[in-house]
Amino acid sequence: MKFSWSKLAVLAVTGALTGALTGALWGGAAQADTVKIGFNVPLTGFAAADGKSALTGAELAVEQANAEGGIDGKMIELLVYDDQASPKESVPIATKLATQDKVNIAISGSYSGATRAAAGVFQANGIPYIAAYAVHPGITRSGDFVFRTSFVGEVQGRAGAKLAGDILGKKRAVLITLKNDFGKSLAAGFKEAAGKFGVTIVAEYEYSIKDRQFGPIVSKVKADNPEVIYASGYFFTAGPLVSQLRAAGIEVPIIGQEGYDSQKFIEIAGAAAEGTIITTSLDRDSDQAETKAFIAAFEKKAGYKVDMVAASGHTAVMVAIAAMRQAGTTDRKAIRDAIAGLTLQASTGKISFNKLGEVRKNVQVQVVRDGNWRRHSVIDDPELLAPPTE
Amino acid sequence: MLAFELIVQGLIQGSIYALIAVGLTLVYGLLRILHIAHAALFTLGGYFGVLVTNATGSFGLAIVVAMVAVGGLGMLVYRFCYEPILARPPHVALIASIGLFIALEEVFRLVFGPYGISYTAPPLTATVVVASMNLKQAEIMVMAGVIVLIGGLAVLTRRTRVGIAWRATVTDPAMAQSFGVDVIKVRYLNFFIGSALAAAAGVMVALLNNLVEPTMGSVPSYKALAIIVLGGLGDVRGTLIAALALGVVESFGTIYLGTILDRDAIAFVFLIVVLMIRPQGLFGKT
């Protein structure tokens, strides 16, 4: 056989390539030994704006933890799926995360409907699941593997009643309620605690999440002449609502909640936003190192001002990471138990969980001053803020 | 007094509905197509209004740019979406239109971002007191704008050759063509004017809410359908009255039925009741 340099060269190159590929594959396999956190979040559809903030907050938590060496030397991997805030998307996503991706723990960066549906799947598969900011009370009732890092609506509603009647001293309230689980549970909490703080409810009006024009309600509220307005909503409904209330010459305090908690609210309502007070989870003027560091890092990464949803996404992932570090194992039951016993200083304050998996933390009261959210006060009454236990 | 305020608020909302629904009924009258994607052009008008105002500081320019640009796009929608399927049964065009509407909403989200955009310095925010009622200049402008635009449309269709040719084409396309009317030009004109009116509505809604979102058209997309059915499909005058009437009914409904009936459901209850009594719509001919 005639010796050929070219054949040898081909052989050599092939061998080298094979080696490189094999190495890459083995390397890949080694890399696959990561800790996996599943994340369902609306990245398209009507809730995409909140989804983007929640995801950025979550990614930031993972980046920070990986920079510190991950969990026992293993890198953390965030597996992200778009659920469009819809239960019919979130159930297959939860099933895939549980059975194919085999995640160690999962987080919801989504709304109540999607989260509640997915919670059942994770519970059935024995995977710990943390709802970052979904408010429906049914979520944690799915079982002992399901936790929540935000207030249920009722707790925040009670805080709103204290804010109106006790802190502001306003007794005649009108409720403008968003007609979904979020708005309804807030209104229920407000009504429950109103009597305790001497607040009487003059009237209540409801609107749908698609409404942006509140002309008729505004006219009626003006005729009702209340001392304070308790209006539930998200920044995209609350922005137009507050600006329309102010344009009609209504000057009484308006109390909102964490749904307002975005710089977008101030952009939409403009000068009319000044003085709007909300109950929320994020204190922009916090002295806590965790909160300050989070706000600075988030605004650098996202390129826009921090909001409650971002802080909640960050907190939920931090809880997952802290629990896994504490458990020292990837056993899901051990991780669940670690979350249940956890006390953590997070970007949304000092948090722990009750036996239902509901968060215990202070309510941050923020107010719009000179076009920014600033601290108004803090409500730290554990009895008033006690989450449901069953 | 409250009743008066509620009527005024209803008329403001009804004016917006009117501007959107007129374009829809024009398209239906001419081509028998239910043009769902019309609501996406309304949204796009809102985007142009905010973006041009923020870039140039001129709200007047923004209205003109929005109406011309969206009017032009409306012609493209006709050319590339409807013209190729005109010979097919009407549901084909309806499905194409729904598809186009959903696609455009997602395009807006990708191009303009999911958060929605606002005027950095919202124009016409000063409050005017009219009969002890606080109205924003923007609200007055909306009502005045609708009167001007619809009045202009009426003059166009009744007093000009183009308008007469247009009406002739709607009534009997074959006869109009035999009299030398360019039916294709009439279709383009129809889409241009209908889309431009929707764009004007988008700019005005953007002004009232100071917010334009990708999904801004989702409610108008089906509510405008209810309005044109109420008005007697293809009937511009009937559509106008139906739009204003619905605005006022919704305004009272929000206050007195709000806890049991969603505002957006009122349109359909109204529709069902009217159709039970007058199946041809409020103003349709039997």
Side-chain angles (χ1 to χ4, degrees):
Chain A
M1 196 181 86
K2 204 178 135 196
F3 181 78
S4 158
W5 280 108
S6 59
K7 272 187 185 164
L8 187 67
V10 169
L11 270 175
V13 169
T14 314
L17 270 178
T18 314
L21 274 174
T22 319
L25 283 175
W26 279 108
Q31 261 186 1
D33 190 20
T34 53
V35 176
K36 288 182 192 167
I37 301 179
F39 197 72
N40 62 297
V41 60
L43 298 174
T44 55
F46 74 97
D50 275 343
K52 190 177 163 209
S53 275
L55 177 61
T56 311
E59 284 173 346
L60 180 64
V62 170
E63 283 164 22
Q64 288 169 333
N66 279 340
E68 292 165 8
I71 296 170
D72 296 334
K74 288 183 194 163
M75 288 296 111
I76 304 158
E77 197 185 343
L78 196 66
L79 294 134
V80 180
Y81 292 95
D82 176 13
D83 69 8
Q84 298 172 22
S86 158
K88 64 178 190 292
E89 302 290 325
S90 73
V91 169
I93 288 170
T95 310
K96 181 164 191 298
L97 283 169
T99 56
Q100 265 184 288
D101 299 332
K102 299 196 188 318
V103 292
N104 301 93
I105 185 168
I107 314 271
S108 161
S110 190
Y111 285 15
S112 288
T115 306
R116 197 180 174 196
V121 178
F122 288 114
Q123 176 68 30
N125 284 281
I127 295 173
Y129 187 48
I130 307 172
Y133 65 98
V135 292
H136 196 284
I139 293 168
T140 47
R141 289 174 192 151
S142 304
D144 57 345
F145 276 76
V146 184
F147 296 86
R148 166 170 22 223
T149 53
S150 61
F151 301 110
V152 291
E154 281 83 0
V155 170
Q156 229 183 117
R158 294 202 291 266
K162 183 180 167 75
L163 177 58
D166 191 26
I167 300 176
L168 301 177
K170 305 288 181 192
K171 306 299 185 191
R172 281 169 45 83
V174 162
L175 266 55
I176 303 175
T177 301
L178 171 62
K179 213 182 306 184
N180 69 1
D181 58 342
F182 178 59
K184 289 275 205 183
S185 60
L186 286 164
F190 188 92
K191 288 178 203 163
E192 181 196 328
K196 193 175 161 189
F197 300 105
V199 176
T200 51
I201 293 154
V202 183
E204 179 176 9
Y205 307 100
E206 297 192 346
Y207 71 92
S208 102
I209 192 163
K210 290 170 183 157
D211 288 351
R212 304 289 183 271
Q213 276 292 302
F214 303 94
I217 293 178
V218 169
S219 300
K220 186 72 169 63
V221 169
K222 201 174 176 199
D224 293 337
N225 194 24
E227 286 174 12
V228 61
I229 296 166
Y230 186 73
S232 49
Y234 303 104
F235 65 86
F236 47 84
T237 60
L241 174 62
V242 169
S243 88
Q244 289 164 31
L245 284 166
R246 293 296 185 229
I250 299 170
E251 279 157 11
V252 300
I254 300 169
I255 299 179
Q257 314 76 23
E258 61 184 27
Y260 288 45
D261 190 329
S262 158
Q263 198 66 24
K264 271 308 281 186
F265 167 75
I266 299 168
E267 268 174 46
I268 297 166
E274 286 295 308
T276 305
I277 309 172
I278 60 166
T279 53
T280 185
S281 296
L282 177 64
D283 181 8
R284 269 78 171 180
D285 293 320
S286 173
D287 308 324
Q288 287 296 334
E290 286 78 6
T291 308
K292 283 161 100 172
F294 162 73
I295 293 174
F298 178 87
E299 288 178 358
K300 184 159 169 256
K301 179 175 164 69
Y304 60 91
K305 289 226 176 170
V306 70
D307 51 36
M308 177 284 303
V309 170
S312 299
H314 182 262
T315 298
V317 174
M318 280 302 189
V319 166
I321 292 167
M324 288 191 281
R325 281 178 180 158
Q326 209 171 74
T329 153
T330 51
D331 176 58
R332 290 152 171 177
K333 179 77 174 66
I335 297 173
R336 189 223 85 89
D337 293 342
I339 300 174
L342 197 70
T343 300
L344 184 73
Q345 186 68 49
S347 47
T348 51
K350 189 174 174 190
I351 62 175
S352 61
F353 298 92
N354 76 1
K355 66 174 182 187
L356 183 63
E358 296 288 358
V359 73
R360 282 186 292 234
K361 62 180 175 179
N362 292 341
V363 168
Q364 307 296 333
V365 182
Q366 302 273 291
V367 59
V368 180
R369 236 180 255 139
D370 302 326
N372 281 299
W373 290 110
R374 305 313 294 261
R375 177 192 285 179
H376 179 278
S377 50
V378 178
I379 299 177
D380 59 354
D381 177 346
E383 201 183 318
L384 181 74
L385 302 181
T389 52
E390 56 184 350
Chain B
M1 201 57 230
L2 176 65
F4 179 63
E5 282 201 35
L6 289 181
I7 290 172
V8 172
Q9 290 298 337
L11 290 177
I12 293 170
Q13 188 65 39
S15 305
I16 301 284
Y17 291 156
L19 275 188
I20 302 170
V22 162
L24 203 63
T25 212
L26 287 176
V27 171
Y28 186 86
L30 190 62
L31 297 174
R32 296 286 180 267
I33 290 173
L34 287 174
H35 177 30
I36 307 289
H38 191 60
L41 300 178
F42 155 77
T43 309
L44 187 63
Y47 275 110
F48 274 117
V50 173
L51 292 172
V52 174
T53 306
N54 284 353
T56 65
S58 166
F59 179 66
L61 179 68
I63 295 186
V64 173
V65 170
M67 289 182 69
V68 172
V70 174
L73 193 75
M75 295 200 289
L76 293 180
V77 168
Y78 164 70
R79 173 63 189 86
F80 293 103
C81 182
Y82 296 130
E83 199 183 68
I85 53 175
L86 273 182
R88 310 271 178 131
H91 67 260
V92 175
L94 177 65
I95 293 167
S97 189
I98 294 171
L100 180 64
F101 175 61
I102 296 171
L104 283 174
E105 278 196 338
E106 290 304 308
V107 168
F108 297 153
R109 191 180 54 75
L110 290 171
V111 174
F112 303 115
Y115 289 91
I117 58 171
S118 305
Y119 293 103
T120 42
L124 303 172
T125 48
T127 307
V128 187
V129 181
V130 185
S132 82
M133 196 170 37
N134 287 41
L135 284 178
K136 267 202 265 190
Q137 283 178 352
E139 292 176 312
I140 295 169
M141 202 219 74
V142 166
M143 287 191 286
V146 171
I147 293 168
V148 169
L149 289 171
I150 302 286
L153 182 67
V155 171
L156 179 77
T157 51
R158 298 197 180 274
R159 302 255 181 261
T160 65
R161 284 190 70 83
V162 176
I164 291 163
W166 184 1
R167 276 164 50 216
T169 312
V170 171
T171 316
D172 190 339
M175 188 62 82
Q177 200 160 18
S178 72
F179 274 86
V181 174
D182 187 339
V183 177
I184 304 301
K185 264 192 193 155
V186 167
R187 286 180 190 162
Y188 279 113
L189 175 74
N190 192 325
F191 270 89
F192 180 84
I193 290 180
S195 307
L197 291 179
V203 175
M204 291 175 187
V205 168
L207 191 61
L208 292 177
N209 301 351
N210 197 21
L211 177 64
V212 180
E213 306 153 277
T215 53
M216 187 168 103
S218 64
V219 173
S221 68
Y222 57 81
K223 206 177 276 180
L225 284 183
I227 291 168
I228 67 168
V229 175
L230 277 171
L233 285 159
D235 179 344
V236 172
R237 190 180 62 102
T239 300
L240 285 178
I241 297 171
L244 294 175
L246 180 66
V248 174
V249 169
E250 278 189 0
S251 177
F252 282 89
T254 306
I255 298 302
Y256 299 108
L257 299 172
T259 45
I260 49 169
L261 192 64
D262 199 272
R263 174 161 103 182
D264 297 327
I266 292 171
F268 293 91
V269 173
F270 193 43
L271 179 68
I272 291 165
V273 170
V274 169
L275 291 188
M276 279 163 66
I277 305 165
R278 281 183 67 84
Q280 68 274 32
L282 279 176
F283 309 99
K285 293 170 194 72
T286 37

